[in-house]
Amino acid sequence: MVSQRSLAIDTEKTTRTTYVLGTELTVNLNRCAPPFSKSFSIKCGPNVNHKVTPPAKDRSGLYPLTPNSVLLVTMDAVSETANDSKLSVRYYGEKSESLGDAVLHLTAVEISLDVDADRDGVVEKNNPNKGSWKWGPNGHGAVLLVNCDSETTYKKSVDSENDTIDKVSDLQDMSKMILRTNGPAELPEGYKLTMHISKTTSGSVRVFRPRTNAKKDTMKHKLLNLFLKDYIMVVGPDALAQEVPYLGGKTELQFFVEGLRFPDKDFNGLISINLSLLEPCGKGFPETPIFTDTVVFHVSPWIMTPNTLKPLEVYVCSTNNNYSFLKSIKNLVEKSGYKLNICFEYMNRGDRWMQDEIEFGYIDAPHHHFPVVLDSPRDGALQDFPIESILGPDFGYVTRDASNGEVSSLDSFGNLEVSPPVTVNGKSYPLGRIIIGVAFPTATHGRNMTQVVQEFLWAQKVQEPIALYSDWLYVGHVDEFMTFVPAPDRKKFRLLLASPDAGYKVFKGLQKKGHGEAEMFSGLPEAISVNKLLSNKKLQDENRYVQNCIDWNRVVLKKELGLDDEDIIDLPILFKVLEEKNCSRAVAYYPDMVNMIVLGDQLGVPKPFGPTVNGRCALETEVCSLLEPLGLKCTFIDDFAPYHKLLGEVHCGSNVLREPSSFKWWNLEL
C-alpha cells in the first residue's frame, strides 16, 4: 500500500516541501481554497504527476471545486537541486475570475532503510515486507543475533554489556542495515533524517554506524576507520532517537544492529527500528515526521542440540578420584574422533557435574551463527567455568538467575534435555522439543525448575517444551530415566527408558537358568547374589513404584513426541528408595545405564557391575543386544566410585557441544 501524506497549500505564500519517492501527497483543495472559489486548474513541471478526484472537468476545462476535491501528487525521479520541481493550483470564482494561485515547490528524494528481509544473507533494496515478521519458508523479516559472545580474553564479559565496539570482528555478530538515499547534494534547509526506537524496544537493541562521513572519506580514512574501530551508537538503551547524516547524491550508509536480550516472558523477540524524514515547522516549533520507514527484526532464539546431531567437543572434569573414569572418557572420545576439553580441579574445585552446570545450544542468522552456553542457576563450584573457559569470540553465554535465590536440584541441567526432530499429529518440530522435569501435578510440596528458567525456555518458541514428572527421583533429573540415541530407521532415533520391569526380567531369567548365585557388584562390598536380590520384597515394592512413575512419563512422551512402542527401548535398570523426613525418593540401585554419553554411533554407558555369566556381565549383554542392531557400539565405563556413589553417572559428569541443525528456525510454521 502506498504511503500517503496530507499537505496544505496556500494562495498567500509559496509552500515548500520534500517528497519521498514511492509515496503520495494528498491536498484537500477545498480546505485550501480562497473564499467564494468555485473551480480550479492545475499546472505542473515535467517531473510532477497529479491526479484529481473527482476527476470531471466542466466545459471550460476547469475542475469544479467540491467539498471532496482532492489533489494527489507523485514524482518519478529525484531532484537535482532543492525545490527544483513546481506545481501550482489556480482558483476561480463564480464568473471564472482568478482568485489566486497556490504554488508548491517540491524536492524529491529517495529514502529506504533496508535489511535482509528475505533472509538470504543480502540486504536487498526496499523489500515490501521489511516492516513485518512472518514465520515459515515463505515468510519474511530480518534476523538478529544477541551479541552474547566476548571478543576479549581478559576480564571477559558478554559484548552486549559494552556500549562501544572494541574490535571490528564484533561487527560480524551484528545484522547489517543500510540507509539508501538518492537526491540533491543537500536536503532543503531545516530537513533532517532521524533514526528512532520505542522505549519498550530500547532495552533489546543497539544500532551503530561509522563515525566518519562515508561519502567524503578517502581510502586512507576508510582504512583508518576500519582499524580504529571508530563506530558510534545511534540508538539503544540510553538513546531513543538520533539524527543520522544525509550524504547527498546516490549513497549508502551502513548500520550494524546488535541484539541485547533473548526472547523471554516479557519480550516476544520482535524489534522495530524507524527512520524518519523530519520537516521544519517554523522557529520555536519541533520538526514533524513527514515520512517514516520501518524495519522489523526477530531475535534468534536459543536452540538446544539433540543427541542425534554430530558431536564436536566433549567436556568433562578432572577430580582427585576420577582418573580411571577420565582415562576411559579420553579413550572413547579419541576413538570417536572428537575433541576433549578437560576442566581441571583448580577451576572445578571438586564439582564434577559438568552436565548439571551448563547446557549447550546455539543462535543462528542468515549471515552468522555460533554456539551459546546456557549457565544453570545452580551455581555450584563450577560456576566460573562457563565464563572463564567457554565464553569467548563466537562462543556466547546466557544465564537466568533465580530472583529469590531459591534453587533446587531440579534447576541443574541434567534436568534439561531435548528430543530429536519429531512430527506429532501432523505438526512438525524440526528442531525437536525441550524436555524438563517438574513435580507431579497434584504435589503440594514438590520441587520444580525455577520459574525464570522455565519462562526463558518457553519463550524461545521453536522447541516447544514438554514437562515430565521427575520429582520422584532423589536428584530429580530427567536424564536419570531417559535419553535418545540415533537409529537408521523409523524416526531416525530411539527413546531409551529405564525399566525396573526389564531389570527384573533379566534377573529372573538368570535365576531360571541356574545362575541364582551369580553376584551383582562382584568384588565390591555391595556384592549380592541374584537369588538374594530377587528375594528382597521391599526392593520389589520400590521398583514397582518407580516403574509406575516412568510409565506415567512414557505415556506423556508417546503423546507429545508422536512415538509408538516400537520407538522405545526399555533398558534393565533397578532403583532403590531413600527415606527422607517428608517423602521418599528413588536413586539407581546399580549404575544407571540410561545415563550415557552419545557420540554418534559410540555410546559411553555406565558399567552396571551385573552378574557375570559365561565370562560377561549379563546386564551388559542385554543392553548390547538391544542397541547393537541399531549400529550402535557400547563402551562400558566404570563410574562407580567417583560418580555412581555420589548419585550421578557418565552423562551427569560430561557434556557435549554439537553441530547446529541444518534447519533454519525462521522456516518453522508457527
Side-chain angles (χ1 to χ4, degrees):
M1 184 178 179
V2 176
S3 175
Q4 290 187 333
R5 173 167 67 95
S6 295
L7 180 71
I9 56 178
D10 197 330
T11 56
E12 296 182 2
K13 63 179 181 180
T14 298
T15 303
R16 294 178 173 82
T17 194
T18 297
Y19 169 84
V20 179
L21 258 60
T23 65
E24 195 171 59
L25 297 177
T26 66
V27 182
N28 187 310
L29 294 173
N30 184 59
R31 191 174 66 185
C32 303
F36 311 114
S37 296
K38 298 299 181 181
S39 59
F40 62 92
S41 63
I42 297 173
K43 183 180 179 180
C44 60
N47 189 33
V48 182
N49 306 312
H50 74 275
K51 179 182 178 182
V52 174
T53 59
K57 293 183 179 180
D58 61 19
R59 293 180 179 179
S60 63
L62 302 178
Y63 293 97
L65 185 65
T66 71
N68 298 318
S69 292
V70 174
L71 171 65
L72 304 176
V73 180
T74 60
M75 299 179 71
D76 294 327
V78 300
S79 296
E80 294 184 3
T81 60
N83 301 307
D84 64 356
S85 297
K86 297 176 178 60
L87 177 145
S88 64
V89 179
R90 177 165 291 180
Y91 288 97
Y92 302 90
E94 190 167 352
K95 297 181 179 180
S96 298
E97 72 278 16
S98 175
L99 299 181
D101 292 338
V103 179
L104 175 63
H105 288 186
L106 293 156
T107 304
V109 296
E110 189 175 19
I111 300 172
S112 178
L113 186 63
D114 293 324
V115 293
D116 179 18
D118 59 4
R119 308 163 184 164
D120 65 353
V122 178
V123 179
E124 66 275 7
K125 184 177 180 180
N126 217 11
N127 188 306
N129 297 314
K130 65 185 179 181
S132 62
W133 174 268
K134 181 182 178 183
W135 292 89
N138 298 315
H140 54 255
V143 177
L144 187 62
L145 298 177
V146 176
N147 193 11
C148 59
D149 67 341
S150 177
E151 299 300 322
T152 61
T153 56
Y154 178 68
K155 293 185 177 179
K156 290 189 289 186
S157 64
V158 295
D159 290 336
S160 58
E161 295 178 0
N162 191 352
D163 61 4
T164 61
I165 296 174
D166 295 323
K167 290 189 177 182
V168 171
S169 56
D170 198 24
L171 299 175
Q172 178 67 23
D173 302 332
M174 304 182 192
S175 294
K176 289 182 180 179
M177 182 170 64
I178 298 175
L179 172 58
R180 293 183 168 106
T181 55
N182 192 7
E186 295 181 348
L187 291 173
E189 185 179 358
Y191 286 84
K192 62 183 181 181
L193 295 173
T194 297
M195 185 170 289
H196 53 103
I197 57 178
S198 69
K199 180 67 175 176
T200 54
T201 296
S202 64
S204 303
V205 69
R206 286 195 195 98
V207 178
F208 296 90
R209 69 170 178 87
R211 186 184 302 275
T212 47
N213 188 321
K215 181 185 178 186
K216 298 177 182 178
D217 269 354
T218 64
M219 180 57 69
K220 178 181 178 181
H221 285 152
K222 287 181 179 179
L223 288 173
L224 259 177
N225 179 58
L226 180 66
F227 288 110
L228 290 176
K229 305 167 285 292
D230 195 10
Y231 294 85
I232 59 173
M233 189 179 75
V234 182
V235 291
D238 300 317
L240 300 184
Q242 187 175 140
E243 182 179 355
V244 298
Y246 170 80
L247 302 178
K250 189 174 184 179
T251 54
E252 295 184 353
L253 182 59
Q254 192 162 238
F255 296 83
F256 298 90
V257 186
E258 175 185 42
L260 303 183
R261 58 184 301 218
F262 284 92
D264 215 324
K265 179 184 179 182
D266 58 345
F267 175 48
N268 64 3
L270 292 174
I271 291 172
S272 296
I273 300 174
N274 311 287
L275 190 284
S276 291
L277 175 64
L278 302 186
E279 183 175 63
C281 293
K283 189 175 182 180
F285 296 96
E287 303 96 342
T288 57
I290 59 172
F291 169 79
T292 298
D293 210 9
T294 299
V295 297
V296 169
F297 289 89
H298 196 300
V299 175
S300 170
W302 178 78
I303 305 169
M304 285 182 66
T305 52
N307 285 351
T308 48
L309 289 174
K310 181 182 177 181
L312 296 174
E313 190 168 354
V314 176
Y315 289 74
V316 67
C317 288
S318 171
T319 66
N320 61 5
N321 69 340
N322 78 337
Y323 175 79
S324 178
F325 170 85
L326 195 60
K327 184 178 180 181
S328 297
I329 290 289
K330 184 177 180 180
N331 290 337
L332 175 64
V333 173
E334 288 179 350
K335 179 172 65 176
S336 304
Y338 307 118
K339 182 180 177 182
L340 181 64
N341 187 307
I342 300 175
C343 174
F344 292 99
E345 199 160 6
Y346 77 89
M347 176 64 71
N348 66 52
R349 295 174 289 180
D351 186 352
R352 68 199 66 208
W353 307 114
M354 184 63 76
Q355 185 66 222
D356 290 341
E357 183 63 35
I358 57 175
E359 188 66 61
F360 288 116
Y362 67 96
I363 55 177
D364 193 12
H367 69 283
H368 194 39
H369 65 80
F370 56 81
V372 177
V373 60
L374 176 63
D375 190 7
S376 80
R378 74 186 278 265
D379 286 343
L382 265 172
Q383 61 179 330
D384 295 335
F385 176 71
I387 291 180
E388 294 298 326
S389 300
I390 298 180
L391 174 64
D394 280 344
F395 210 130
Y397 171 90
V398 63
T399 190
R400 285 295 179 270
D401 294 322
S403 57
N404 58 10
E406 294 181 4
V407 296
S408 72
S409 176
L410 272 67
D411 292 306
S412 297
F413 285 164
N415 197 34
L416 174 60
E417 297 298 322
V418 64
S419 80
V422 291
T423 298
V424 186
N425 296 324
K427 183 175 180 180
S428 178
Y429 298 91
L431 295 170
R433 297 188 67 179
I434 285 173
I435 297 170
I436 66 168
V438 297
F440 199 72
T442 58
T444 55
H445 301 290
R447 301 166 297 173
N448 279 293
M449 181 179 283
T450 190
Q451 195 65 27
V452 291
V453 175
Q454 289 198 50
E455 289 167 352
F456 173 81
L457 296 173
W458 256 264
Q460 307 314 303
K461 287 186 178 180
V462 297
Q463 296 176 302
E464 184 182 341
I466 302 166
L468 298 182
Y469 170 41
S470 68
D471 190 38
W472 58 273
L473 287 155
Y474 186 88
V475 177
H477 298 175
V478 293
D479 71 350
E480 297 177 75
F481 65 87
M482 61 162 291
T483 194
F484 298 95
V485 294
D489 56 359
R490 297 188 62 81
K491 295 178 174 63
K492 301 302 179 183
F493 71 89
R494 293 289 192 276
L495 167 64
L496 307 186
L497 287 179
S499 172
D501 283 352
Y504 273 106
K505 186 175 182 180
V506 170
F507 291 118
K508 288 177 181 178
L510 292 174
Q511 187 183 57
K512 192 171 183 179
K513 290 181 179 180
H515 302 293
E517 292 305 315
E519 285 188 332
M520 283 287 303
F521 310 120
S522 181
L524 297 173
E526 293 84 357
I528 183 174
S529 69
V530 170
N531 287 335
K532 191 170 183 180
L533 184 148
L534 290 175
S535 67
N536 188 332
K537 299 301 182 185
K538 181 176 182 293
L539 187 65
Q540 290 182 24
D541 291 342
E542 291 171 351
N543 276 279
R544 191 173 299 113
Y545 161 72
V546 168
Q547 187 67 63
N548 287 340
C549 294
I550 294 174
D551 285 345
W552 191 91
N553 288 307
R554 184 190 187 100
V555 171
V556 174
L557 288 164
K558 287 176 67 175
K559 176 184 176 183
E560 298 295 338
L561 297 179
L563 303 181
D564 299 319
D565 285 324
E566 291 82 0
D567 300 310
I568 302 172
I569 295 176
D570 294 313
L571 297 191
I573 299 161
L574 299 188
F575 292 79
K576 60 183 178 181
V577 171
L578 301 182
E579 303 292 339
E580 294 184 316
K581 290 182 179 180
N582 298 321
C583 60
S584 301
R585 293 187 169 104
V587 299
Y589 179 68
Y590 48 80
D592 186 351
M593 292 179 289
V594 81
N595 193 271
M596 63 179 67
I597 184 173
V598 180
L599 302 176
D601 61 357
Q602 299 288 333
L603 308 180
V605 186
K607 184 176 180 60
F609 291 92
T612 300
V613 176
N614 298 325
R616 190 177 180 189
C617 170
L619 291 172
E620 292 183 16
T621 300
E622 177 68 11
V623 168
C624 289
S625 72
L626 294 170
L627 299 181
E628 287 180 351
L630 300 175
L632 302 172
K633 302 174 183 65
C634 298
T635 298
F636 291 92
I637 297 173
D638 181 358
D639 70 354
F640 194 85
Y643 291 91
H644 174 71
K645 282 192 170 184
L646 298 177
L647 307 184
E649 310 288 358
V650 173
H651 186 259
C652 303
S654 60
N655 219 310
V656 183
L657 174 68
R658 300 180 186 273
E659 284 187 348
S661 170
S662 61
F663 182 86
K664 300 305 180 182
W665 61 267
W666 51 85
N667 288 330
L668 270 173
E669 298 279 6
L670 290 182

